[in-house]
């Protein structure tokens, strides 16, 4: 197949998303976001029981939706959806880790944490929608789009690996963040939080609150994660609807999942290594897919095999992380016991 014929073959992306299904999905996502904003309208500390309840709901919902996709459109679309959802959920856990560092760096009060997370999730959904549309347009018009996505993912994997080896991903200096420095140049910033208010009056002028700074910082990180996650899921499925659905479902449950995994996040010390492997693997898959469109003898990696690799990598890095931090946990328990 020549490059010209390959471009023609990929000019129209097949999708299970009818206009009605798109409309229902978007309305459903908006309603779930509104529900989350209503739940967090009164700032409060999230109990483990509340977090587990909401997390169970936001895990059961996408799994039920995946079962419906499987039964309605067949096993191929079902496997693509479930694999894409697992990839996005894995990347969202890394997103949560960065959120945790930002909340600690800005000393966000516990009662305000979930509202900050919700702003980040809402911003991430908007950005993902934009990048998904851009990705679909690229696949329809550029014959090298898959190769471009592959390069992005492999470059991201290399950066993740380098940061993991250097320990850079565990450091957040808010004074060096461009978004924070820009805001401080535009408006004065008060030192105290004023609930969820973004601005307060300081004399005759309006001033930003630390809450506004942390929300902007979280939204800025959303851009970086959108650049990584959208090409990753396009490496699993070329269906824009399934790409959007996997992203939406993976993001919606982050607010509650953060509080369930808060203690465990610090123990997932090998997560970045696992994500680097996954992104590099999907990058390889995309590169082979692009090459197969030009040279039919080039093999492709089946989606089911991708699912097996992704699950295997996540299981291994989770077990190795827990083993690596086991001694630290034992020492902490011994210190607590001695103090009592």
């Amino acid at each position: 197949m020549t490059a010209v014929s390959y471009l023609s073959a990929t000019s129209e992306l097949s999708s299970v998303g009818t206009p009605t299904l798109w409309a229902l999905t978007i309305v459903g996502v908006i309603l779930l976001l509104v529900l989350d904003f209503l739940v967090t309208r009164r700032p409060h500390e999230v109990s483990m029981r509340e977090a587990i309840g909401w997390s169970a709901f936001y895990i059961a919902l996408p799994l039920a939706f995946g079962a419906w996709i499987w039964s309605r459109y067949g096993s191929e679309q079902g496997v693509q959806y479930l694999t894409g959802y697992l990839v996005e959920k894995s990347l969202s856990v890394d997103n949560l880790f960065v959120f945790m560092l930002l909340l600690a760096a800005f000393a966000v009060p516990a009662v305000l944490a979930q509202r900050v997370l919700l702003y980040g999730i809402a911003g991430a959904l908007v950005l993902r929608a934009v990048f998904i549309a851009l990705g679909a347009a690229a696949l329809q018009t550029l014959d090298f789009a898959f190769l471009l996505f592959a390069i992005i993912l492999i470059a991201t994997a290399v950066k993740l690996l380098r940061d993991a080896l250097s320990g850079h991903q565990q450091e957040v200096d808010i004074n060096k963040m461009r978004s924070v420095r820009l805001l401080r140049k535009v408006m004065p910033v008060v030192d105290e939080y004023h609930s969820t208010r973004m601005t307060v009056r300081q004399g005759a002028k309006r001033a930003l609150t630390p809450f506004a700074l942390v929300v902007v910082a979280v939204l800025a990180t959303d851009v970086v994660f959108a650049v990584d996650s959208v090409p990753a899921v396009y490496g699993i499925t070329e269906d824009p609807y399934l790409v959007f659905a996997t992203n939406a479902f993976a993001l919606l449950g982050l607010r509650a999942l953060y509080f369930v995994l808060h203690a465990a996040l610090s123990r997932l010390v090998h997560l970045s290594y696992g994500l680097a492997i996954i992104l590099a693997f999907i990058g390889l898959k995309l590169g082979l897919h692009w090459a197969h469109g030009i040279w039919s003898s080039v093999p492709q990696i089946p989606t089911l095999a991708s699912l097996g690799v992704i699950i295997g990598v996540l299981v291994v890095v989770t077990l190795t992380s827990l083993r690596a931090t086991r001694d630290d946990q034992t020492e902490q328990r011994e210190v607590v016991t001695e103090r009592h």
Side-chain angles (χ1 to χ4, degrees):
M1 181 182 288
T2 65
V4 174
S5 60
Y6 179 53
L7 173 60
S8 175
T10 59
S11 60
E12 293 185 3
L13 299 177
S14 60
S15 175
V16 302
T18 62
T20 300
L21 186 57
W22 269 105
L24 291 175
T25 303
I26 292 173
V27 170
V29 169
I30 293 174
L31 289 176
L32 288 171
L33 270 179
V34 170
L35 175 63
D36 270 353
F37 271 103
L38 290 175
V39 169
T40 61
R41 71 187 185 279
R42 294 181 179 177
H44 64 280
E45 292 192 38
V46 180
S47 67
M48 183 57 67
R49 180 178 180 181
E50 177 185 354
I52 291 176
W54 280 108
S55 293
F57 169 75
Y58 277 117
I59 290 175
L61 184 62
L63 291 180
F65 184 79
W68 179 78
I69 290 289
W70 192 302
S71 63
R72 178 68 175 82
Y73 298 104
S75 60
E76 182 178 353
Q77 281 74 19
V79 171
Q80 288 179 3
Y81 168 82
L82 292 174
T83 306
Y85 173 72
L86 183 59
V87 169
E88 291 304 309
K89 204 64 179 177
S90 304
L91 291 172
S92 70
V93 172
D94 192 44
N95 204 338
L96 280 182
F97 184 75
V98 175
F99 286 170
M100 180 181 72
L101 295 178
L102 286 172
L103 292 177
F106 282 93
V108 177
V111 295
L112 302 180
Q114 61 177 338
R115 180 52 70 97
V116 173
L117 293 170
L118 195 52
Y119 276 116
I121 292 167
L125 280 169
V126 174
L127 287 169
R128 300 292 171 88
V130 172
F131 277 87
I132 288 167
L134 292 175
L139 292 178
Q140 289 177 320
T141 57
L142 301 176
D143 59 339
F144 57 86
F146 284 112
L147 180 61
L148 177 62
F149 288 174
I151 293 172
I152 291 174
L153 292 180
I154 293 174
T156 302
V158 172
K159 182 180 182 302
L160 272 177
L161 183 60
R162 186 174 63 246
D163 289 346
L165 291 172
S166 65
H168 177 68
Q169 82 282 4
Q170 297 181 358
E171 301 175 358
V172 172
D173 188 348
I174 60 177
N175 294 318
K176 294 182 179 179
M177 298 185 69
R178 294 179 180 177
S179 58
V180 172
R181 288 187 295 175
L182 178 61
L183 285 176
R184 284 175 172 169
K185 289 180 180 179
V186 174
M187 292 181 66
V189 180
V190 297
D191 296 328
E192 304 83 13
Y193 282 88
H194 294 263
S195 188
T196 58
R197 295 177 64 182
M198 298 281 191
T199 63
V200 293
R201 184 167 294 280
Q202 191 179 48
K205 297 181 179 180
R206 303 292 297 183
L208 295 172
T209 65
F211 185 83
L213 294 185
V214 68
V215 167
V216 171
V218 167
L219 293 176
T221 63
D222 285 338
V223 177
V224 178
F225 283 103
V227 172
D228 301 339
S229 65
V230 172
V233 74
Y234 267 123
I236 303 299
T237 176
E238 300 172 34
D239 187 332
Y241 175 78
L242 293 182
V243 172
F244 176 78
T246 54
N247 272 270
F249 280 125
L251 289 169
L252 283 171
L254 287 189
R255 175 184 63 84
L257 187 63
Y258 173 85
F259 297 99
V260 174
L261 296 180
H262 185 270
L265 283 173
S266 60
R267 297 194 62 189
L268 297 178
V269 293
H270 295 160
L271 177 62
S272 292
Y273 297 101
L275 293 179
I277 294 172
I278 290 172
L279 291 178
F281 172 78
I282 298 175
L284 174 62
K285 183 177 185 295
L286 280 169
L288 290 174
H289 180 71
W290 169 80
H292 179 81
I294 301 176
W295 305 287
S296 59
S297 59
V298 175
Q300 296 193 83
I301 301 176
T303 304
L304 193 59
S306 301
L307 178 61
V309 170
I310 293 166
I311 291 176
V313 170
L314 291 175
V315 169
V316 169
V317 297
T318 300
L319 293 177
T320 58
S321 294
L322 295 178
R323 182 178 179 84
T325 57
R326 183 176 55 187
D327 293 339
D328 293 338
Q329 292 294 112
T330 302
E331 291 177 3
Q332 291 178 6
R333 285 195 295 269
E334 289 176 352
V335 170
V336 172
T337 302
E338 290 176 359
R339 288 180 177 178
H340 288 79

